[in-house]
Amino acid sequence: MSSRATARVPVNPRTSSARAVPARTTPRAAPRSHPRPQLSVVAAPAPRARRSPRRSLRSRRAPFVLLVVALLAGTTLGLLVLNTAIAVDSLQASRLRADNAQRAQDVQRLEQRVIDGNTPAAIAEAAVAAGLVPAGAAAYLVLDPEGAPVLRGEPAPAEAPPAPPAPAPAERPAGGN
Amino acid sequence: MAGTVRGPGGSTRAGGRPAPRTGPGAFTSRRPPGGRRSGGAGLTLAQRTRRNRIGLILLVTLLVVVIGRLAVVQGVDGAEYANAASQDRLRTYPIAAIRGEVLDREGRPFAYTVDASRVTADPTVVRDPARTALALTTVLGVPVSELTEKLSAEGRYVVLATQVPPETAEAVEELELPGIVLVDDPVRLYPSGAVGGQVVGFVGSEGAGLAGIEQTFEGVLAGTPGTRRVEVGSGGYPIPSRGIDEELPATDGSDVTLTLDQDLQYVTEQRLAESCADGATTRASAVVLDVRSSEVVAMGSCPGYDPGRYSETDRDLLGNPIVSSVFEPGSVLKAVTMAAAVEEGVATPDEVLSVNGHIEAGDRTVTDAHDHAPVDWTVTGILAKSSNVGTIMLAREVGDEKLEQYLRAFGVGSETGIELPGESAGILQDSAEWSRIRAANIAIGQGVSVTTLQMASVFQAIANGGVRVEPRIVRSVTSPDGQVRPTDEPESRRVVSEETADSLAYMLEAVVGPGGTAPLGQIDGFRVAGKTGTAQRANPETGRYDGGGYVTTFVGFAPADDPQYVVAVDLERPTSSAEGGQVAAPVFADILRYALTADGVVPSGTARPDFRLTGTP
């Protein structure tokens, strides 16, 4: 910078213009019809005078640039966050949907087990396994008009099972109750 | 901007602003205004105008052609092209309607449907049949060779596996194989197996009901299938989110609730199976009716079949003999003759008749089960002893035409109208065509054919105070939105007066009592009324009675003083001459005992009346 500054023609009044456009220093640019001016060495102008406009310019631009950068960064981050959120949500949604389908299948399977376990054949089998026997004719105690209990039907113990199955101790898992 | 590098001569500028021009010498190469680089510089004005015009015309023509074509493509043929394009991308899949359930009276399912899938493939899209087959073989459990063959087949549709459970379908989906498509293929399950199988029927491989309730209620159970149109990408996959995915949802089928009780049905079939296992019985059928409503509470026959395995069953067994096979009921039908005699005032239960051991009928003689010298029996005694001769004597007093009227009123010779396919009306000839022997035979239940259900229906009328209600087996239809639509009330008609019905109940009770033909039909604690039957069975090979054996029947109801259930049992025993009182009555008693006990029917506690079976005229 400083080397550039020394090459400038100090007499040019535009030097101090706000735009800081340097004047041409080539001899070609000088009008030829005039005699060459007498040149003399003058003291270099204080650097402060030329730098301060740039400085102020940059310091005035800085907030704008920062603002833009901040906006850009903000939107980028915002988009990123939003996208991530959406992705997370959709991931969760599809996982929940899959869970839901899984649950529906579980429900169907369990319902099937209930239905299968509720058939007369299954109940009869379970009853036999539990040592139950089919009941015979039932007898009823009915109150007559005077309020005295009357026995209707003939109570009889149900027939004993033909042959109780031999106990199978090893059939149940240990610790199960 | 400030950092722009300068050349050593410093001839460039800093910043974006052009340097002020200092003289014409700076850009000497500028061409004169109006000058062109092209070779047209030498043309005259007229030539130039013509050239412009030609150019313009050319351009306009081109534009017109392009616009015209655009209009044709977009406007005229547009729809067609769009259609063709979407046809290429769109696949239509059916959405199967879930078939309605068949339930018993308490809502326990006899038949229901679960989700499952059919794995199909489009061989033109499948990339590597061998690898695809290898991937699918363990999941589907189908041999590789079979899969490879199918996947390399001609055409665009092959079925690789049917009725695949949802877990397997998911596993197939996860493989993401190109050209493999899953389609709904619900499975029909019959959890109770053979219990109620003949009533419920089954669904064929095409998904249509082919027997039983599944057949008669096909339109109600089936529902309306929907369709799903999806846009598919390359590889035949549906495009997940943005593609066309239109659904015309399926309307599920309605549930059909039967009047059957699954427990009683089970007990009935179990008891019949026991009979079928006795070595002499080839077929056993039973039906239980609710006396008041005439609802069928149980209806079974052995050998039966499991609707879930209908394809492995002998085709001859895939019917419902209770409504479709007819037999000669024998003495059971004497109840109708008696009803006619009592209603017509020909006889009263205690009237005494002198009954011979045999009676002339045309050119033949009808005898009692065992010929005997003339005995003085009451009308009750005639029924209790099941005397053919006594019954024929009473029938002659009633007259053929009247007897036929009563038989028809009790439902003999016409369909009951039950909601089951293949019902037989039985056979009852017009009384005008009855020969003398035929008239005598019909009075005792020979020469006339009925189904087990018709038999039960006759006794339902007697038990219900003389009002016959047509039997029904479907209680209600429940649509998918939960609306319950009860079936129409069955037709009910009085066939005999209440007094006649009561007299008959009294007479029928004597059958089970001491001196009757069926003491084995008794149930402890309850008063039972019923009638045995032992009819000669026509030999199916010859069409004659010789060698046909017997059909033994027992039909009755209980409690006799307040009837709740009617049970009809018939056993086909081609090799045995055992009588209904010995073989059919115990089956009847066991089924009826369970029905009464399970229903909590309290015995009235009244004693059985003392019957007068014999007397002096």
Side-chain angles (χ1 to χ4, degrees):
Chain A
M1 285 281 212
S2 54
S3 67
R4 198 167 16 136
T6 51
R8 287 180 191 278
V9 179
V11 290
N12 197 329
R14 284 191 196 165
T15 319
S16 59
S17 82
R19 301 294 298 177
V21 177
R24 288 176 188 272
T25 49
T26 47
R28 227 176 46 177
R32 283 178 191 171
S33 54
H34 298 287
R36 184 182 282 255
Q38 287 293 306
L39 299 176
S40 58
V41 174
V42 293
R48 176 190 53 87
R50 275 174 293 158
R51 274 184 199 158
S52 62
R54 285 172 166 264
R55 274 270 164 77
S56 68
L57 180 76
R58 285 170 75 188
S59 59
R60 260 185 290 143
R61 268 188 195 163
F64 178 69
V65 171
L66 273 175
L67 179 71
V68 170
V69 168
L71 276 174
L72 274 171
T75 32
T76 313
L77 275 174
L79 272 175
L80 191 72
V81 168
L82 273 176
N83 265 334
T84 315
I86 289 170
V88 165
D89 280 355
S90 86
L91 215 70
Q92 207 166 359
S94 60
R95 204 179 53 227
L96 287 174
R97 254 197 300 276
D99 276 2
N100 217 9
Q102 185 62 45
R103 295 280 183 287
Q105 273 179 34
D106 289 351
V107 165
Q108 184 175 311
R109 201 170 46 240
L110 290 172
E111 275 175 352
Q112 225 167 310
R113 274 183 59 193
V114 169
I115 288 170
D116 287 344
N118 206 20
T119 59
I123 292 173
E125 205 174 300
V128 168
L132 301 177
V133 294
Y140 299 85
L141 277 174
V142 184
L143 291 180
D144 68 2
E146 281 91 51
V150 179
L151 182 68
R152 297 270 178 84
E154 289 156 31
E159 268 177 55
E171 209 168 291
R172 283 197 158 193
N177 49 352
Chain B
M1 283 190 276
T4 313
V5 181
R6 280 162 190 275
S11 62
T12 52
R13 310 150 271 131
R17 187 199 257 182
R21 200 176 288 158
T22 46
F27 297 100
T28 46
S29 68
R30 279 189 67 106
R31 60 176 186 262
R36 284 183 188 274
R37 244 183 276 258
S38 62
L43 293 175
T44 66
L45 191 67
Q47 278 175 316
R48 223 175 277 167
T49 315
R50 217 183 71 200
R51 201 174 70 164
N52 284 353
R53 195 166 294 157
I54 292 168
L56 192 70
I57 290 168
L58 260 173
L59 271 175
V60 167
T61 318
L62 255 171
L63 267 171
V64 165
V65 167
V66 167
I67 289 171
R69 182 69 188 141
L70 183 74
V72 168
V73 168
Q74 283 283 343
V76 181
D77 302 337
E80 206 173 300
Y81 279 115
N83 198 22
S86 64
Q87 281 307 309
D88 231 28
R89 298 190 312 255
L90 281 178
R91 299 275 161 84
T92 306
Y93 299 111
I95 302 174
I98 297 290
R99 195 176 172 87
E101 297 178 355
V102 180
L103 308 160
D104 85 335
R105 58 166 59 207
E106 274 153 31
R108 293 157 77 179
F110 275 116
Y112 68 109
T113 297
V114 293
D115 282 333
S117 306
R118 183 187 308 152
V119 183
T120 67
D122 181 347
T124 58
V125 183
V126 172
R127 286 205 197 103
D128 186 347
R131 249 188 40 211
T132 308
L134 212 61
L136 287 172
T137 181
T138 47
V139 183
L140 297 179
V142 181
V144 183
S145 53
E146 197 185 323
L147 284 176
T148 316
E149 193 185 311
K150 280 179 176 170
L151 289 170
S152 2
E154 293 285 313
R156 300 202 58 179
Y157 181 83
V158 285
V159 177
L160 304 179
T162 56
Q163 306 195 331
V164 168
E167 298 87 22
T168 315
E170 213 163 80
V172 172
E173 223 158 41
E174 272 165 20
L175 291 172
E176 294 191 353
L177 298 162
I180 303 294
V181 181
L182 291 163
V183 187
D184 280 349
D185 186 18
V187 187
R188 193 73 167 158
L189 294 177
Y190 301 92
S192 42
V195 176
Q198 289 157 322
V199 174
V200 176
F202 57 90
V203 170
S205 54
E206 301 296 312
L210 297 182
I213 293 291
E214 298 271 33
Q215 185 184 345
T216 33
F217 281 79
E218 171 65 22
V220 173
L221 288 165
T224 319
T227 49
R228 181 176 172 223
R229 289 181 355 127
V230 284
E231 201 173 1
V232 290
S234 65
Y237 291 122
I239 298 173
S241 57
R242 265 173 278 273
I244 299 170
D245 193 344
E246 296 167 342
E247 254 185 36
L248 183 73
T251 313
D252 289 344
S254 302
D255 296 343
V256 173
T257 305
L258 303 182
T259 58
L260 294 185
D261 180 286
Q262 224 172 49
D263 291 333
L264 183 60
Q265 182 72 30
Y266 172 77
V267 170
T268 304
E269 290 191 21
Q270 212 185 23
R271 186 64 189 82
L272 292 175
E274 210 177 290
S275 295
C276 277
D278 69 4
T281 309
T282 52
R283 192 176 59 78
S285 303
V287 59
V288 182
L289 292 183
D290 183 289
V291 167
R292 305 269 168 267
S293 59
S294 200
E295 286 178 349
V296 178
V297 192
M299 177 189 267
S301 169
C302 84
Y305 68 92
D306 179 353
R309 294 205 207 113
Y310 75 93
S311 50
E312 304 156 29
T313 312
D314 182 1
R315 289 184 68 86
D316 293 342
L317 293 180
L318 295 178
N320 187 351
I322 299 124
V323 296
S324 54
S325 76
V326 295
F327 58 94
E328 292 174 68
S331 311
V332 171
L333 213 61
K334 285 175 185 163
V336 177
T337 313
M338 289 297 175
V342 174
E343 179 81 357
E344 291 296 311
V346 170
T348 60
D350 289 330
E351 193 177 322
V352 180
L353 294 174
S354 175
V355 182
N356 204 344
H358 54 270
I359 190 169
E360 300 297 322
D363 52 352
R364 293 177 63 177
T365 308
V366 178
T367 60
D368 274 352
H370 311 285
D371 204 347
H372 54 80
V375 190
D376 293 332
W377 274 328
T378 60
V379 172
T380 306
I382 290 171
L383 194 66
K385 303 279 184 195
S386 197
S387 163
N388 293 338
V389 178
T391 311
I392 292 167
M393 285 160 65
L394 289 168
R396 285 188 180 159
E397 284 188 55
V398 171
D400 291 356
E401 205 179 313
K402 275 267 187 293
L403 183 61
E404 190 207 353
Q405 271 176 25
Y406 277 97
L407 284 167
R408 292 208 188 277
F410 273 101
V412 177
S414 59
E415 291 166 14
T416 62
I418 197 163
E419 304 94 331
L420 289 170
E423 194 191 357
S424 168
I427 303 158
L428 176 61
Q429 270 186 334
D430 211 39
S431 58
E433 292 165 26
W434 290 359
S435 61
R436 201 156 163 79
I437 176 70
R438 172 58 53 89
N441 271 340
I442 284 174
I444 58 168
Q446 296 273 181
V448 51
S449 289
V450 296
T451 63
T452 314
L453 182 65
Q454 281 176 331
M455 221 48 258
S457 180
V458 166
F459 277 69
Q460 182 273 330
I462 296 166
N464 195 29
V467 178
R468 177 173 179 267
V469 184
E470 286 193 331
R472 288 289 176 269
I473 201 163
V474 174
R475 182 172 269 189
S476 62
V477 172
T478 311
S479 58
D481 57 15
Q483 270 195 331
V484 181
R485 191 163 47 80
T487 42
D488 298 336
E489 284 279 312
E491 206 177 293
S492 67
R493 210 159 64 85
R494 176 165 291 284
V495 289
V496 288
S497 68
E498 204 164 343
E499 294 76 44
T500 306
D502 287 347
S503 302
L504 259 136
Y506 164 84
M507 288 156 71
L508 289 169
E509 209 179 337
V511 173
V512 188
T517 52
L520 290 175
Q522 284 183 65
I523 300 168
D524 289 344
F526 290 99
R527 288 171 58 187
V528 177
K531 183 72 194 82
T532 54
T534 311
Q536 283 180 295
R537 173 176 171 267
N539 190 336
E541 283 159 29
T542 59
R544 305 183 67 85
Y545 288 129
D546 306 322
Y550 292 88
V551 175
T552 60
T553 47
F554 194 97
V555 190
F557 51 88
D561 45 352
D562 181 22
Q564 300 295 325
Y565 289 105
V566 174
V567 177
V569 174
D570 72 87
L571 310 174
E572 211 174 85
R573 296 163 67 86
T575 56
S576 160
S577 60
E579 289 179 357
Q582 295 164 335
V583 288
V587 180
F588 159 88
D590 287 347
I591 293 170
L592 188 52
R593 181 185 299 116
Y594 181 86
L596 293 169
T597 309
D599 193 26
V601 175
V602 181
S604 65
T606 53
R608 187 192 292 144
D610 286 326
F611 301 105
R612 258 188 76 217
L613 304 184
T614 54
T616 44

